[in-house]
């Protein structure tokens, strides 16, 4: 018990729910899968709602009457591949809903019956029954659709018990067959009959009876031990009451003669479709092929797939002609290692020929073949080499579909091609075609598969493929999308896995009809040229197949592996015109802003002030090392009488205000009478720490004469400028400056002055600049200066103005 419990844990339970009504417990489907678990008993604690129970591939050898009582909802029970030897169907008496019961591949020998009226599928194949386990109870299961049986002996009486069942499929899975009573099978009423024969069985009588039984007959394991020639006499070749129209033989291993006889037999039955898969044949041939009676048949399709040859003493031509003389609608001989194929010299009526996966060469087209009704020709997976040869053959047919994929085909430029006007679909994939293939195509072509070839470009000078709608050029060597100049109707293009670096947009201009384009897995260069292509996806939703996974950058290296959709290429960096326009616009705006500022805020004045300020501070650093003069006065201000008001009410208050100390040392004209005015002035300048000259037209007229000399003697302006500060109170036009003052002219031209602004708002900067100019090096001399200032101002407190009345002339 413990063992069973532990195994139960491993049974997988799958609940599948169908539809909206699933809330009702009856509608639920519960699968309990205990397959392949080495179970020796049915687990006791199965979920009671189980509807499908899989107990296959276990070691069950006996079922208890109570095993399935708990699972009353059971519909599907799979017990195949166990070791059950006997079974009482009454075990399932409480499983009223059981529809599907699979007991195949057990060791059943005896069964006790009980009617399971609801059963639709019952499989008892591959068991060890001696006689067919048929009985009246089975005959009463009127819902039964498919029935699998086995038994070493097959007798008519066995089938009579189930004769009234109308079955879809009967499957006879036989482990051994020791006796078959002729005429047994036709008693069954079934649409399909599938017989799996044991080894070494005489299949012949089963084939004959099978053909009389069902519409579809399938037989597996037909081997050479059952020599037809030994069994039947020729008069039995004619079969009456045949029912089968589709005959499928699987795993056939026969002598060629026997195969031939099967064909001859089937030929005169009701079979229309005859398929043989996995067939091996060989041996010495005794029968004469010319004696094959092709007349009087309903056969339309023969299909041989996976054919292997044994040692074979027969002219190949006979075998080829044996098939092609059949003159049916459809013939397939594929995967047969067939090196050649021959056709009768007269026209035949084949509509469909499939010789896929053989080793056919150009030889097959070297002789004229007349197949006027041929619609479909499939020659994929062979060793054809010359396309023009195929075209000449096709010209005499009414081919619509031609599959030449997986060959060695090429086309030379100087060869001529003739295609029939009917040809619509061509598969030329996986060949060795280069660009020249476009010169050997039918104008009527609508679907063309050229994938996996060696095409580099679509040549310009090809004929117009005016009907072409689908073109597959994947896995080639194209470097760009082909334009639609030659195929105006193209709507589907596949150009995956080529060498397209940057698809040109001409394609989209010329290909108006295009609906899907697959250009994935190309080595895209994610540069500006690709921008329009990336944008294309946004405008044409869904046109690019495989977007965006298959569209990946290869270059530049920093973008390698990035999906195209994630690449950002801004308009500005890619559009040269736009870039130039933008730069020009920005320059214009800046220029205009400059002009506006100059006009409106006198920018040039500010700039000049700023320049001087900077110069001053540079000087601060230089002058710290320079020698000190014998300074006695902090400041000497020289100005014209006319400007005295400005000096008194603007200049002096502002200079004092800043420092909060009396730095200003002004002087009344108490000159030394023994000296000339100029000498006196120069004396003061020498003594002062700084000298300020207030320049105005009046000053120039009346006072400058005294200074011209001084400035002229300090040839380098920057020397003087350490001590002299020029303030331009009013503008002085150059022409107003007399020629005898070249130094003044020079100073004015060099703009070596601080300009008093007319605009009051600018005054703050002016004063700051002026103070900076004064303060250069002042710190060091400050104490001394202050002291002197103090005494001097006390003495001379009445005035602070220089009044010079001198005649300069
Ligand atoms: C049970 O599981 C096995 C594999 O473990 C699977 O092959 C089988 O189909 C499952 N049975 C059902 C009914 O799903
Ligand atoms: C059963 O399980 C074994 C290993 O557990 C596995 O090799 C085998 O293929 C399984 N058989 C089937 C029929 O699932
Ligand atoms: C089969 O069904 C018929 C009538 O439907 C009935 O007379 C007969 O007894 C049934 N046989 C068995 C074995 O149930
Ligand atoms: C076989 O079954 C079909 C219905 O499936 C029926 O029409 C036909 O008459 C049955 N044939 C015989 C011989 O009972
Ligand atoms: C022959 O083959 C073609 C193409 O596969 C198919 O459409 C047609 O139905 C076949 N004819 C017969 C008689 O099987
Ligand atoms: C190809 O067929 C057309 C029409 O059937 C015919 O006019 C033409 O001569 C043929 N060309 C060749 C080379 O057989
Ligand atoms: C062409 O043949 C190849 C394989 O031979 C196949 O994969 C492909 O789908 C075919 N093309 C068309 C358009 O049928």
């Amino acid at each position: 018990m413990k063992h069973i419990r532990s195994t139960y844990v491993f049974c997988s339970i799958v609940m599948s729910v169908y539809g909206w009504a699933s809330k009702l417990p009856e509608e639920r489907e519960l699968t309990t899968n205990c397959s392949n678990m080495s179970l020796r008993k049915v687990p006791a604690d199965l979920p009671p709602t189980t509807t499908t129970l899989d107990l296959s591939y276990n070691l069950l050898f006996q079922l208890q009457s109570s095993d399935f009582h708990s699972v009353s909802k059971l519909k599907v029970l799979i017990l195949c591949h166990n070791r059950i030897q006997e079974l009482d169907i009454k075990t399932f008496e409480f499983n009223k809903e059981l529809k599907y019961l699979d007991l195949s591949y057990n060791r059943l020998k005896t069964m006790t019956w009980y009617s399971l009226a609801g059963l639709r599928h019952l499989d008892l194949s591959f068991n060890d029954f001696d006689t067919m386990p048929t009985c009246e109870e089975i005959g009463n299961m009127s819902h039964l659709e498919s029935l699998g049986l086995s038994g070493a002996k097959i007798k008519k009486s066995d089938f009579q018990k189930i004769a009234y069942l109308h079955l879809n499929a009967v499957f006879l899975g036989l482990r051994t067959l020791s006796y078959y009573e002729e005429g047994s099978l036709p008693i069954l009423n079934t649409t399909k009959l599938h017989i799996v024969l044991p080894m070494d069985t005489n299949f012949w009588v089963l084939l004959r009876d099978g053909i009389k039984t069902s519409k579809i007959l399938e037989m597996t394991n037909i081997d050479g031990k059952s020599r037809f020639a030994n069994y039947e006499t020729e008069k039995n070749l004619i079969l009456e009451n045949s029912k089968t129209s589709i005959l499928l033989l699987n795993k056939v291993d026969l002598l060629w003669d026997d195969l031939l006889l099967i064909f001859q037999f089937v030929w005169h039955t009701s079979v229309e479709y005859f398929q043989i898969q996995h067939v091996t044949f060989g041996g010495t041939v005794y029968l004469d092929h010319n004696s094959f009676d092709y007349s009087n048949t309903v056969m339309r399709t023969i299909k041989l797939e996976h054919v292997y040859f044994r040692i074979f003493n027969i002219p190949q031509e006979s075998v080829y002609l044996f098939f092609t003389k059949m003159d049916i609608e459809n013939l397939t001989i594929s995967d047969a290692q067939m090196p050649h194929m021959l056709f009768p010299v007269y026209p035949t009526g084949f509509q469909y020929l499939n010789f896929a996966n053989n080793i056919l060469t150009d030889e097959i087209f070297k002789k004229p073949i007349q197949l006027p009704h041929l619609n479909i020709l499939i020659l994929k997976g062979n060793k054809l080499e010359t396309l023009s040869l195929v075209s000449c053959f096709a010209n005499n047919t009414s081919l619509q579909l031609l599959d030449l994929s997986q060959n060695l085909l090429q086309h030379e430029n100087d060869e001529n091609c003739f295609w029939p006007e009917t040809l619509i679909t061509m598969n030329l994939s996986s060949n060795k075609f280069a660009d020249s293939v476009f010169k050997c195509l039918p104008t009527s072509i609508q679907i063309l598969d050229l994938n996996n070839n060696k095409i580099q470009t679509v040549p310009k000078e090809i004929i117009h493929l005016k009907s072409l709608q689908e073109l597959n050029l994947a896995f080639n060597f194209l470097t760009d999308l082909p334009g639609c100049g030659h195929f105006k109707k193209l709507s589907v293009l596949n150009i995956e896995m080529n060498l397209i670096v940057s698809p040109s947009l001409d394609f989209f201009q010329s290909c108006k009809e295009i609906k899907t384009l697959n250009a994935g897995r190309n080595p895209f260069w994610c540069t500006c040229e690709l921008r329009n292509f990336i944008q294309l996806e946004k405008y044409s939703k869904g046109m690019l197949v495989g977007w965006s996974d298959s569209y990946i950058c290869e270059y530049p290296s920093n973008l390698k592996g990035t999906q195209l959709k994630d690449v950002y290429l801004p308009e500005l960096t890619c559009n040269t015109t736009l870039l130039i326009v933008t730069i020009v616009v920005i320059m214009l705006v800046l220029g205009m802003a400059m002009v506006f500022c100059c006009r409106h805020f006198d920018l040039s004045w500010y700039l000049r002030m700023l320049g001087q300020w900077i110069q001053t501070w540079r000087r601060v650093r230089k002058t710290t090392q320079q020698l000190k003069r014998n300074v006695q006065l902090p400041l000497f201000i020289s100005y014209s009488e006319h400007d005295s008001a400005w000096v008194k009410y603007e200049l002096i208050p502002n200079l004092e205000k800043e420092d909060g100390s009396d730095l200003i040392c002004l002087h009344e004209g108490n000159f030394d009478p023994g000296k000339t005015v100029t000498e006196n002035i120069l004396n003061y300048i020498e003594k002062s720490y700084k000298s300020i000259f207030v320049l105005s037209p009046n000053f120039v007229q009346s006072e400058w004469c005294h200074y011209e000399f001084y400035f002229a003697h300090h040839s380098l302006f920057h020397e003087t400028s350490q001590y002299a500060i020029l303030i331009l109170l009013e503008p002085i036009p150059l022409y107003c400056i007399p020629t005898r003052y070249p130094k003044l002219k020079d100073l004015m031209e060099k703009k070596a002055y601080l300009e008093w602004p007319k605009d009051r708002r600018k005054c703050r900067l002016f004063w700051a600049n002026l103070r900076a100019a004064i303060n250069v090096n002042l710190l060091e001399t400050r104490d001394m200066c202050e002291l002197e200032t103090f005494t001097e101002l006390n003495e001379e407190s009445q005035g602070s103005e220089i009044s010079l009345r001198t005649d300069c002339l």
Side-chain angles (χ1 to χ4, degrees):
M1 197 63 200
K2 207 169 186 189
H3 170 72
I4 289 168
R5 275 197 174 274
S6 65
T7 50
Y8 162 62
V9 174
F10 298 106
C11 291
S12 79
I13 296 171
V14 179
M15 169 97 79
S16 36
V17 170
Y18 297 108
W20 290 109
S22 58
K23 279 158 200 145
L24 303 167
E26 298 82 48
E27 304 288 328
R28 292 217 184 102
E29 299 287 329
L30 186 74
T31 300
T32 304
N33 196 339
C34 308
S35 173
N36 202 4
M37 286 176 174
S38 309
L39 296 178
R40 287 167 191 278
K41 284 182 173 176
V42 178
D45 39 8
L46 292 166
T49 51
T50 300
T51 53
T52 298
L53 176 58
D54 190 344
L55 287 162
S56 59
Y57 296 94
N58 281 298
L59 306 171
L60 304 175
F61 61 94
Q62 209 171 15
L63 297 182
Q64 307 297 325
S65 59
S66 59
D67 276 348
F68 302 102
H69 281 187
S70 61
V71 283
S72 58
K73 301 271 188 290
L74 204 61
K75 288 180 185 163
V76 177
L77 178 57
I78 301 164
L79 286 162
C80 63
H81 295 276
N82 276 286
R83 297 171 181 184
I84 304 167
Q85 291 178 2
E86 53 182 322
L87 180 65
D88 185 351
I89 293 287
K90 217 167 183 176
T91 310
F92 309 112
E93 76 178 311
F94 296 108
N95 307 107
K96 293 283 181 218
E97 294 183 34
L98 197 62
K99 290 190 170 69
Y100 186 104
L101 179 57
D102 185 354
L103 284 159
S104 61
Y105 296 95
N106 275 283
R107 294 173 184 177
L108 285 168
K109 283 200 164 92
T110 51
M111 284 184 81
T112 313
W113 280 100
Y114 173 83
S115 182
L116 285 172
L119 218 54
R120 285 162 200 266
H121 176 97
L122 173 63
D123 195 348
L124 297 167
S125 60
F126 297 105
N127 274 287
D128 296 341
F129 296 112
D130 188 45
T131 55
M132 287 279 153
T134 50
C135 58
E136 277 181 24
E137 285 81 359
I138 295 184
N140 271 10
M141 292 180 201
S142 54
H143 294 295
L144 209 58
E145 286 165 5
S146 65
L147 176 63
L149 293 169
S150 56
K153 296 184 183 125
I154 297 176
K155 290 179 294 194
K156 278 185 184 172
S157 55
D158 297 334
F159 288 144
Q160 244 125 31
K161 294 173 194 155
I162 54 170
Y164 299 106
L165 287 176
H166 302 160
L167 296 164
N168 286 336
V170 171
F171 177 61
L172 294 183
L174 307 176
R175 278 194 176 141
T176 53
L177 182 62
S178 56
Y179 174 75
Y180 174 77
E181 185 181 353
E182 212 174 323
S184 301
L185 287 175
I187 296 169
L188 296 170
N189 188 352
T190 179
T191 312
K192 180 174 178 186
L193 174 63
H194 184 185
I195 309 172
V196 179
L197 295 169
M199 297 298 287
D200 300 346
T201 309
N202 191 323
F203 71 89
W204 177 245
V205 67
L206 290 167
L207 176 62
R208 279 171 49 99
D209 274 0
I211 287 179
K212 288 192 213 161
T213 307
S214 59
K215 188 167 180 291
I216 304 169
L217 173 64
E218 182 171 355
M219 292 180 78
T220 304
N221 293 340
I222 292 176
D223 60 38
K225 293 283 162 62
S226 48
R227 294 293 307 273
F228 161 75
N230 294 345
Y231 185 77
E232 280 289 327
T233 52
E234 289 199 13
K235 65 174 177 3
N236 287 327
L237 270 176
I238 310 298
L239 189 75
E240 276 155 26
N241 309 324
S242 65
K243 279 190 187 160
T244 300
S245 61
I246 298 177
L247 175 62
L248 315 163
L249 302 184
N250 249 320
K251 298 190 192 162
V252 178
D253 185 351
L254 286 177
L255 298 175
W256 175 251
D257 276 356
D258 289 341
L259 196 67
L260 211 61
L261 284 170
I262 291 179
F263 270 107
Q264 183 69 84
F265 165 68
V266 170
W267 206 251
H268 299 299
T269 64
S270 56
V271 174
E272 293 176 13
Y273 180 99
F274 185 18
Q275 171 183 305
I276 309 179
Q277 281 180 327
H278 299 281
V279 53
T280 309
F281 61 80
T284 315
V285 178
Y286 301 105
L287 293 176
D288 178 10
H289 290 88
N290 291 328
S291 64
F292 193 91
D293 179 9
Y294 288 104
S295 68
N296 199 14
T297 185
V298 292
M299 187 68 78
R300 296 170 78 190
T301 301
I302 285 186
K303 190 168 181 178
L304 275 91
E305 282 178 334
H306 303 283
V307 184
Y308 314 96
F309 299 94
R310 287 249 171 72
I311 301 157
F312 201 37
N313 302 334
I314 174 176
Q316 287 182 28
E317 285 79 15
S318 319
V319 180
Y320 304 139
L321 284 170
F322 166 69
F323 288 108
T324 51
K325 278 179 176 174
M326 286 176 176
D327 200 5
I328 47 178
E329 275 175 38
N330 291 4
L331 174 64
T332 299
I333 304 177
S334 67
D335 298 277
Q337 290 293 306
M338 192 168 63
H340 192 46
M341 187 38 103
L342 283 174
F343 288 86
V345 286
Y346 52 86
T348 46
F350 289 108
Q351 293 173 16
Y352 171 99
L353 287 176
N354 181 348
F355 300 134
N357 304 321
N358 285 290
I359 45 174
L360 299 174
T361 60
D362 282 354
E363 285 300 314
I364 69 163
F365 297 119
K366 295 251 162 95
K367 281 187 186 170
I369 308 171
Q370 299 185 54
L371 294 165
H373 304 292
L374 193 63
N375 284 328
I376 299 176
L377 177 60
I378 296 174
L379 291 171
K380 84 168 187 194
N382 280 285
K383 298 200 180 315
L384 303 173
E385 287 173 25
T386 314
L387 185 61
S388 53
L389 218 63
V390 186
S391 88
C392 289
F393 155 77
N395 193 39
N396 299 317
T397 68
S398 46
L399 263 191
Q400 289 173 6
L401 187 153
L402 177 58
D403 186 348
L404 294 171
S405 59
Q406 299 172 18
N407 276 279
L408 308 168
L409 284 162
Q410 293 185 39
H411 176 69
E412 302 294 338
N413 267 322
D414 52 353
E415 293 163 350
N416 289 326
C417 294
F418 306 92
W419 295 104
E421 283 292 311
T422 47
L423 199 50
I424 288 172
T425 307
M426 265 174 108
N427 195 339
L428 301 177
S429 65
S430 304
N431 277 287
K432 295 163 91 179
F433 289 117
D435 303 357
S436 55
V437 67
F438 285 97
K439 293 180 183 148
C440 183
L441 292 174
T443 49
S444 54
I445 192 89
Q446 289 177 16
I447 300 170
L448 178 59
D449 192 340
L450 272 168
N451 101 69
N452 194 12
N453 278 288
K454 297 187 170 141
I455 299 166
Q456 293 176 343
T457 51
V458 176
K460 292 263 183 296
E461 64 283 3
I462 62 166
I463 47 162
H464 287 263
L465 303 175
K466 53 187 188 305
S467 309
L468 190 62
Q469 288 165 15
E470 286 184 39
L471 178 58
N472 187 343
L473 286 169
F475 295 89
N476 276 286
F477 298 92
L478 286 129
T479 50
D480 199 358
L481 298 175
C484 286
H486 298 290
F487 8 88
K488 292 270 182 248
K489 278 201 184 148
L490 196 68
S491 69
V492 177
L493 176 65
N494 184 348
I495 195 155
E496 247 194 314
M497 285 294 276
N498 277 271
L499 301 174
I500 299 175
V501 161
S502 150
S504 69
L505 290 185
D506 297 353
F507 172 79
F508 301 100
Q509 269 132 37
S510 66
C511 300
K512 299 277 185 234
E513 303 278 316
I514 202 87
K515 292 201 177 55
T516 55
L517 170 66
N518 185 349
R521 298 196 280 164
N522 275 290
F524 293 111
W525 282 26
C526 293
T527 54
C528 284
E529 285 84 67
L530 204 65
R531 222 174 136 261
N532 291 328
F533 180 73
I534 295 172
Q535 279 183 344
L536 180 88
E537 168 58 20
K538 291 181 187 128
Y539 297 122
S540 61
K541 288 251 179 291
M543 179 174 141
L544 289 180
V545 177
W547 187 268
S548 57
D549 296 354
S550 313
Y551 296 75
I552 288 168
C553 299
E554 179 71 25
Y555 176 90
S557 46
N558 62 325
L559 288 175
K560 191 169 177 172
T562 313
Q563 287 187 7
L564 258 56
K565 78 163 162 43
D566 299 328
V567 172
Y568 178 62
L569 297 166
E571 176 89 36
L572 197 58
T573 52
C574 291
N575 190 334
T576 326
T577 329
L578 187 71
L579 187 66
I580 291 171
V581 166
T582 312
I583 290 173
V584 166
V585 166
I586 289 173
M587 301 261 283
L588 269 177
V589 168
L590 276 180
M592 273 155 67
M594 289 275 277
V595 168
F596 178 78
C597 289
C598 291
R599 281 274 175 87
H600 208 262
F601 304 113
D602 206 355
L603 189 72
S604 57
W605 182 88
Y606 279 107
L607 289 177
R608 247 187 349 261
M609 277 299 190
L610 206 66
Q612 275 162 354
W613 205 56
I614 292 165
Q615 266 183 6
T616 313
W617 281 112
R618 267 214 242 113
R619 257 181 261 138
V620 169
R621 277 183 285 137
K622 270 193 213 159
T623 49
T624 43
Q625 290 112 21
Q626 284 182 359
L627 288 169
K628 288 173 198 166
R629 293 178 301 155
N630 179 22
V631 179
Q632 288 161 21
L633 297 169
L635 269 181
F636 167 74
I637 304 174
S638 179
Y639 55 94
S640 156
E641 196 181 6
H642 290 273
D643 306 322
S644 61
W646 183 80
V647 171
K648 274 188 187 147
Y649 303 114
E650 292 275 359
L651 180 60
I652 294 165
N654 266 297
L655 289 182
E656 284 180 338
K657 182 173 73 185
E658 174 65 18
D659 273 284
S661 61
D662 311 298
L663 271 176
I664 317 300
C665 313
L666 290 171
H667 298 270
E668 193 115 12
N670 55 347
F671 295 130
D672 189 339
K675 293 180 179 170
T676 64
V677 177
T678 312
E679 276 172 346
N680 268 312
I681 288 171
L682 292 181
N683 189 29
Y684 274 111
I685 294 175
E686 285 298 311
K687 276 198 213 160
S688 302
Y689 172 65
K690 291 266 163 129
S691 308
I692 296 176
F693 302 90
V694 182
L695 299 182
S696 67
N698 287 317
F699 186 82
V700 171
Q701 288 297 314
S702 55
E703 314 291 343
W704 184 259
C705 58
H706 308 296
Y707 302 101
E708 178 70 16
F709 172 79
Y710 168 79
F711 284 106
H713 277 80
H714 290 76
S715 52
L716 291 170
F717 181 69
H718 79 266
E719 271 175 36
T720 54
S721 67
Q722 282 178 22
Y723 311 114
I725 299 166
L726 302 177
I727 295 175
L728 186 68
L729 194 58
E730 283 172 47
I732 305 172
L734 279 182
Y735 62 85
C736 294
I737 300 171
T739 46
R740 61 179 190 279
Y741 298 154
K743 192 64 205 175
L744 178 62
K745 243 189 183 131
D746 187 27
L747 289 173
M748 294 309 281
E749 274 167 9
K750 282 182 182 161
K751 303 220 184 233
Y753 48 74
L754 291 171
E755 195 178 345
W756 171 247
K758 290 277 171 295
D759 189 343
R760 299 295 298 181
R761 284 174 299 182
K762 298 174 191 166
C763 287
R764 287 174 70 94
L765 183 59
F766 172 83
W767 293 125
N769 222 344
L770 181 60
R771 274 192 294 272
I774 294 169
N775 277 346
V776 174
N777 215 8
L778 196 62
L779 293 170
E780 288 171 30
T781 55
R782 190 169 180 121
D783 290 342
M784 182 177 67
C785 178
E786 272 182 323
L787 189 69
E788 279 188 31
T789 308
F790 186 73
T791 50
E792 293 247 356
L793 277 179
N794 269 355
E795 284 167 16
E796 320 274 354
S797 53
Q798 300 96 331
S800 52
E801 184 181 342
I802 303 171
S803 307
L804 294 171
R805 304 262 172 272
T806 354
D807 198 351
C808 287
L809 293 168

